[in-house]
Amino acid sequence: MKHYLKKLEETIRGHWNLKALCDYKGDAFTYGDLAANIEQFRLFLNDAGIAKRNKIAICARNSARWAIAFWDINVNGCVAVPLLADFHPNSITALTHHSDSVLLFTDEEIWRKLNPEQMPLLKAAINVRDWSLLWHRDEKTANAWKQREKTFALRHPHGLLPKDVSFHTDNMDKLAIINYTSGTTGNPKGVMLTYGALSDTDEFANSHFPNHPGETIVSMLPMAHMYGLAIEFIHPNVDGVTVYFLGKTPSPSTLLKAMKEVRPYMVVTVPLVMEKVYAQSIKPALEKMQRFFSIPYAQKLIYKIIRRKILSAFGGRVKCFIMGGAALKPEVEQCFSKMRLPFTVGYGMTEACPLLGWEWWTDFVPGSCGKPVHEIRIDSDDPRNTAGEIQAKGSNITMGYYKNPEANAVAFTDDGWFRTGDLGLMDEEGNIFIRGRIKSMILNSNGQNIYPEELEAVLSSCPYVIESLVVDRDRKIVALVYPDIPDDMDAESRKAIPEMIRSTANKSLPAYSQINKVELMDTPFEKTPKMSIKRFLYK
């Protein structure tokens, strides 16, 4: 397995003047610029007395400088601690302290809300927008940071040359990242991932969706989440792909404008984004042309035309759409297959850096989430028919949780398999079928296991349903639904919607998992960065 930093080193040497990291409509940095920044940071660490293995946090919106800060930390042997900018200031403070971070890359707006007294190990806070010093605790660190460019000029009077670039890669088993989850079940845990885990993910990605120097990609997922960090940034960037950052979450029009201009080779996204594209563009177009479907070969031609328009809207160079973080609605999945849209279906989690399952649409079995990336087993006497916990092994799997012995005690089985907490089945061909989370499973009064996610998949096909969440209330199954109701609908028809959704869904559900009640929500459900609903908020 090749170290991803060896690939980055080779790319920098061979593509010195190629753009590496860009802010869309903003600053741009070449691979040569990146190398100079990494070397400057190495000299700063030496002068500040900050040794390898020290933790350094990054908490800000995506940007080219966020990415440079990550490479500065990661290449120089320190441990990167990406924190979501959307975390509450109290959480950012607590996690910076919990991770033992000695530096924090952030921005002025976030820093104003933090309390350095509650982060006693912190030596300095650096503005990721312009590299200015926001705060410092000791003069040694501050002076080393302020003098880093002068120190660099003295060490490299003729500038850094490609031949000078050499990165340490004898650290496969060493800690590279502590990534604090923002999951569906509550408090964040610090997932520890090694350089080997990142190299493993990069190798798998290269063998299935390779890239080439000079290609481009648009980054829209938060890089403080492993899905965006590993698949949308590290994997492309080490191979010479120019990464363009959109910063804050873009509007659909801004996103498509960027796609048309950047012309990415790959789109990494969450199902919700593609479901919106389907609902707003594809479905209306299909409904308009429905009357032509009875004409021989017309349906195939119509899907071909729409496919061409979708690919054109995303710049015309997209080789694949990678959708992860949640299940794709069956209706959308079927349409994309008919269109022959080049999409992938995957399954993962932070603890797997982040891939557990993956498959191309051409070989994808409807309802599954791909085949194992490494070793997967189902903890069940009959894994093809009786759901059990999905357990995993591989060099991509976490070392455990940072300073969390309670979580570590239950994270692995006695024989070394990682417990995902997901329930699933696996057929004879290795296709994985997720049935739900162990913690969200409902046990009814007759002893039947009910998986909310299966009911939610049925609800997603009902009229007016945008998203749903199934909960257990006093042994009754209640569906919380965020609807899409026309503004001109009369009050009487509006009042009848919950019962209509309930009866429609129940026609497709077995007797033991019938929905007792549907409640309409006024606002969308709160979600994690990978767009999974935070279930613990809606018990």
Side-chain angles (χ1 to χ4, degrees):
M1 180 166 61
K2 191 169 185 176
H3 201 301
Y4 66 97
L5 291 184
K6 187 64 179 175
K7 294 171 65 178
L8 180 62
E9 174 193 305
E10 292 170 354
T11 295
I12 289 174
R13 286 182 166 195
H15 302 278
W16 192 257
N17 295 314
L18 179 67
K19 286 182 182 179
L21 303 161
C22 304
D23 292 318
Y24 177 62
K25 301 294 187 183
D27 294 334
F29 301 90
T30 65
Y31 278 97
D33 295 330
L34 175 59
N37 268 277
I38 291 169
E39 173 64 4
Q40 275 189 27
F41 196 72
R42 183 186 70 81
L43 296 171
F44 156 71
L45 291 173
N46 288 343
D47 290 348
I50 298 173
K52 287 183 178 181
R53 312 268 68 83
N54 268 277
K55 285 77 177 178
I56 300 175
I58 316 175
C59 184
R61 301 287 175 194
N62 286 10
S63 69
R65 284 186 173 82
W66 192 110
I68 291 172
F70 175 84
W71 284 132
D72 286 348
I73 298 162
N74 187 248
V75 171
N76 285 302
C78 290
V79 179
V81 184
L83 299 174
L84 286 160
D86 290 330
F87 276 151
H88 189 278
N90 291 345
S91 294
I92 297 171
T93 299
L95 296 178
T96 301
H97 176 58
H98 181 269
S99 66
D100 301 316
S101 289
V102 297
L103 295 174
L104 171 63
F105 284 93
T106 186
D107 60 40
E108 198 169 359
E109 182 183 352
I110 292 173
W111 178 251
R112 280 199 305 266
K113 301 171 185 175
L114 307 184
N115 183 357
E117 296 307 311
Q118 295 176 4
M119 299 177 281
L121 295 180
L122 200 67
K123 295 176 180 290
I126 299 162
N127 194 336
V128 79
R129 291 184 178 173
D130 59 9
W131 304 135
S132 61
L133 203 60
L134 291 167
W135 170 90
H136 65 277
R137 180 166 267 120
D138 65 87
E139 292 303 320
K140 183 179 180 181
T141 304
N143 289 335
W145 182 256
K146 291 173 183 175
Q147 296 297 317
R148 72 194 189 285
E149 291 181 356
K150 187 178 291 185
T151 304
F152 175 84
L154 289 171
R155 184 66 63 89
H156 301 280
H158 303 294
L160 192 72
L161 301 174
K163 66 180 178 63
D164 299 326
V165 177
S166 179
F167 300 151
H168 292 291
T169 56
D170 57 347
N171 52 7
M172 284 289 204
D173 61 341
K174 297 294 191 296
L175 179 61
I177 293 175
I178 300 174
N179 194 214
Y180 284 90
T181 64
S182 175
T184 60
T185 56
N187 294 328
K189 291 181 290 190
V191 178
M192 297 188 289
L193 297 166
T194 64
Y195 286 89
L198 290 167
S199 298
D200 183 280
T201 296
D202 179 58
E203 183 176 79
F204 178 86
N206 266 312
S207 65
H208 290 79
F209 33 97
N211 44 52
H212 304 93
E215 290 181 321
T216 56
I217 192 169
V218 175
S219 172
M220 56 178 146
L221 299 175
M223 287 200 295
H225 191 279
M226 277 311 301
Y227 179 32
L229 185 69
I231 307 301
E232 197 176 50
F233 164 49
I234 293 177
H235 160 58
N237 203 218
V238 299
D239 285 329
V241 173
T242 305
V243 184
Y244 286 82
F245 298 96
L246 295 181
K248 63 181 181 180
T249 305
S251 65
S253 59
T254 300
L255 175 61
L256 288 178
K257 186 171 182 286
M259 292 289 179
K260 266 193 170 295
E261 292 180 14
V262 173
R263 304 187 72 191
Y265 81 101
M266 177 172 77
V267 174
V268 184
T269 186
V270 292
L272 188 63
V273 171
M274 297 307 292
E275 285 166 2
K276 285 183 177 179
V277 171
Y278 170 78
Q280 295 172 10
S281 303
I282 300 173
K283 190 175 182 179
L286 288 173
E287 288 173 347
K288 284 181 182 178
M289 293 183 277
Q290 193 71 38
R291 64 183 183 276
F292 299 113
F293 277 18
S294 58
I295 303 172
Y297 306 111
Q299 187 175 138
K300 188 175 181 179
L301 179 62
I302 289 168
Y303 277 114
K304 186 176 180 180
I305 292 169
I306 293 175
R307 175 184 183 274
R308 192 183 303 132
K309 286 185 176 181
I310 292 297
L311 292 176
S312 175
F314 280 89
R317 290 181 180 169
V318 178
K319 299 175 186 175
C320 65
F321 292 85
I322 298 180
M323 290 174 270
L328 192 63
K329 286 184 177 180
E331 177 187 354
V332 181
E333 187 181 283
Q334 291 166 15
C335 179
F336 286 172
S337 294
K338 289 179 181 177
M339 285 170 56
R340 301 183 65 79
L341 195 73
F343 72 99
T344 65
V345 176
Y347 161 49
M349 59 198 309
T350 304
E351 289 86 344
C353 194
L355 298 174
L356 286 167
W358 181 90
E359 189 57 275
W360 278 106
W361 69 274
T362 48
D363 301 312
F364 164 69
V365 175
S368 75
C369 58
K371 294 183 175 69
V373 169
H374 289 303
E375 292 183 81
I376 292 282
R377 74 179 185 188
I378 307 296
D379 186 22
S380 167
D381 293 333
D382 183 10
R384 294 182 187 175
N385 301 296
T386 304
E389 183 179 40
I390 301 171
Q391 299 174 351
K393 256 189 181 181
S395 53
N396 61 324
I397 298 297
T398 179
M399 302 167 69
Y401 301 104
Y402 190 63
K403 291 163 51 175
N404 195 335
E406 296 83 4
N408 287 332
V410 298
F412 294 89
T413 64
D414 292 339
D415 56 347
W417 290 74
F418 176 72
R419 302 178 185 273
T420 67
D422 291 325
L423 288 164
L425 305 169
M426 190 186 299
D427 66 17
E428 60 276 8
E429 294 176 350
N431 296 294
I432 306 164
F433 298 83
I434 296 176
R435 289 295 175 258
R437 293 288 293 170
I438 289 174
K439 289 183 178 179
S440 63
M441 188 189 77
I442 298 169
L443 185 67
N444 74 3
S445 56
N446 294 321
Q448 293 275 11
N449 293 338
I450 298 169
Y451 306 108
E453 292 84 354
E454 291 185 345
L455 276 64
E456 290 154 12
V458 172
L459 284 161
S460 71
S461 300
C462 294
Y464 307 111
V465 176
I466 294 179
E467 55 185 1
S468 64
L469 184 71
V470 171
V471 297
D472 178 13
R473 290 191 181 161
D474 298 323
R475 295 294 182 96
K476 294 186 183 298
I477 298 174
V478 177
L480 310 179
V481 170
Y482 177 60
D484 179 17
I485 303 174
D487 294 333
D488 58 355
M489 181 177 281
D490 61 81
E492 196 64 31
S493 298
R494 189 179 291 256
K495 188 177 178 181
I497 286 177
E499 178 55 29
M500 186 270 289
I501 292 173
R502 189 187 76 87
S503 59
T504 302
N506 281 344
K507 289 175 184 176
S508 302
L509 294 171
Y512 67 83
S513 63
Q514 295 276 298
I515 296 169
N516 298 101
K517 184 181 180 183
V518 170
E519 295 180 5
L520 300 186
M521 306 289 289
D522 294 327
T523 57
F525 295 100
E526 288 197 39
K527 300 179 184 69
T528 69
K530 65 176 185 178
M531 304 310 291
S532 299
I533 295 171
K534 294 183 177 180
R535 290 181 178 273
F536 67 95
L537 297 177
Y538 301 94
K539 291 181 179 178

